[in-house]
């Protein structure tokens, strides 16, 4: 720079050039930056539309899909066709969204460099990560997905054609992605999933909504346990089953039906180990006025026998296929262990099902106080644990027992007498009623408060 001659024009020209060169660095903003900001906002909008499409398409309910099928609009038919290939649609959405996110990151880095060129690199990095991530997640993911879920039909209609075009354009990439997914699914399925039943039950407790009722949690846990329950755990034992002898008269049969009011009754010959068939009460409707000489044995239906070890989910499918509601359970020697009905199977999921013919005396338990219950001796241990809100605390002592009476018999190593008291950990079992064959009523006291008091006394010592 040569200003020795003092030429004012040269000095002015020099200042103008210096100001021009310094302006972008001083303000950090240029026409290129403005264009990049416009592109950045456009990509955020595109990301919002694509993310919202995922929420809109995959939140459509069956009733909404039926309405779309009935409509004659081109977009409605296009939505249905695209949902017929959900993996391809999802692959297209993921590919487009990923490419948009990459483009946003690149442009955001360039904008940050232009605006904060004079700042340290770590400040540029922090601003870029925090600002871009917040903007992309809030405006490009959360907000559009919430909106699209609430307006899924209109949003899906808006994006149906663009998603179809993008799906055709990215067909090679989506094909590779889908095939890779199939390969991963095969690998995962071959390895299997060793998820324990207790872990699933714990997950239900952790993920349950605060507004979920106890009955809803019980149904979910019943569904989880359903495939691990065998017939022996759900059946009505032979000592409690109601059956009629093959040789009784029609008058005696009608008296038995009026007294017990069952819709299906097993028929045996000699003893219950020889089941001849099942009498459906509805088959007798046409013969209500018949005389005592009516041979009711001619209308009994053939029995269906199942082993004790059969799983109830398999039995439910067989009931549906055979269109029957009752099966006779046999042990390994072919003797009758009891019967199992469709109602018994469903009760494993939804709990006790009571109809208009159930007596109040058949209630399985009475709650006397917060920690004191009285159960029928034939109450299932699964039901006892469910009522007492226990987490398999009786598993270590139940052995082969399936009922509460069997449990106390297991503890006592014999059939206990009325008035006997058995103690196991924090449970006190008091036999209220028993005979020579089985335990009829048991009082259970849970010593939660006593245990807590003893623990605190030990700590004081």
């Amino acid at each position: 720079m040569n200003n020795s001659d003092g030429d004012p024009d040269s000095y002015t020209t020099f200042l103008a050039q210096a100001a021009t060169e310094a302006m972008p660095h001083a303000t950090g903003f240029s026409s290129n930056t403005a264009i990049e900001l416009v592109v950045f906002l456009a990509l955020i909008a595109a990301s919002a539309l694509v993310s919202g499409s995922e929420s809109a398409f995959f939140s459509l309910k069956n009733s909404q899909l039926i309405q779309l099928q009935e409509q004659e609009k081109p977009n409605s038919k296009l939505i249905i066709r695209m949902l017929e290939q959900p993996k391809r649609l999802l692959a297209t959405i993921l590919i487009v969204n990923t490419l948009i996110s990459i483009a946003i990151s690149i442009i955001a880095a360039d904008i940050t460099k232009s605006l904060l060129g004079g700042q340290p690199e770590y400040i540029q990095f922090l601003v870029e990560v925090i600002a871009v991530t917040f903007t992309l997640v809030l405006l490009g993911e959360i907000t559009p997905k919430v909106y699209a879920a609430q307006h899924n039909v209109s949003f899906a209609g808006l994006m149906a054609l663009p998603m179809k075009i993008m799906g055709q354009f990215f067909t090679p990439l989506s094909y590779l992605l889908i095939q890779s997914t199939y390969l991963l699914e095969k690998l995962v399925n071959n390895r299997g999933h060793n998820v324990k039943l207790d872990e699933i039950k714990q997950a239900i407790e952790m993920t349950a909504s605060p507004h979920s009722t106890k009955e809803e949690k019980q149904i979910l846990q019943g569904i989880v346990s359903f495939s691990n329950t065998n017939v022996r755990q759900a059946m009505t034992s032979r000592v409690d089953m109601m059956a009629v002898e093959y040789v009784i008269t029609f008058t005696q049969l009608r008296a038995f039906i009026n007294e017990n009011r069952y819709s299906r009754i097993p028929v045996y010959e000699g003893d219950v180990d020889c089941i001849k068939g099942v009498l459906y009460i509805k088959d007798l409707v046409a013969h209500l006025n018949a005389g005592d000489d009516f041979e009711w044995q001619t209308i009994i239906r053939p029995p269906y026998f199942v082993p004790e070890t059969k799983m109830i989910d398999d039995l439910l499918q067989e009931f549906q296929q055979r269109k029957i509601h009752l099966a006779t359970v046999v042990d390994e020697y072919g003797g009758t262990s009891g019967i199992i009905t469709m109602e018994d199977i469903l009760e494993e999921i939804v709990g006790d099902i009571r109809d208009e013919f159930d007596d109040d005396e058949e209630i399985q338990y009475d709650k006397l106080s917060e920690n004191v219950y009285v159960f029928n001796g034939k109450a299932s241990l699964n039901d006892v644990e469910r009522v007492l809100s226990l987490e398999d605390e009786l598993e270590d002592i139940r052995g082969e027992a399936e009922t509460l009476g069997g449990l106390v018999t297991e503890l006592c190593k014999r059939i206990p007498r009325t008035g006997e008291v058995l103690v196991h950990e924090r449970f006190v079992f008091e036999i209220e009623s028993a005979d020579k064959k089985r335990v009829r009523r048991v009082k259970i006291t849970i010593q939660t408060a006593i245990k807590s008091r003893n623990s605190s006394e030990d700590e004081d010592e």
Side-chain angles (χ1 to χ4, degrees), residues 194-214:
N194 297 322
V195 181
K196 294 182 179 179
L197 185 62
D198 292 340
E199 294 175 352
I200 300 177
K201 289 182 177 179
Q202 185 178 4
I204 291 174
E205 290 291 337
M206 293 175 62
T207 57
S209 168
H211 304 291
S212 299
T213 63
K214 183 179 179 180

Side-chain angles (χ1 to χ4, degrees), residues 269-283:
E269 187 175 24
D271 59 49
V272 292
D273 285 327
C274 183
I275 300 294
K276 299 287 290 184
V278 180
L279 175 65
Y280 282 53
I281 305 306
K282 66 180 181 180
D283 294 339

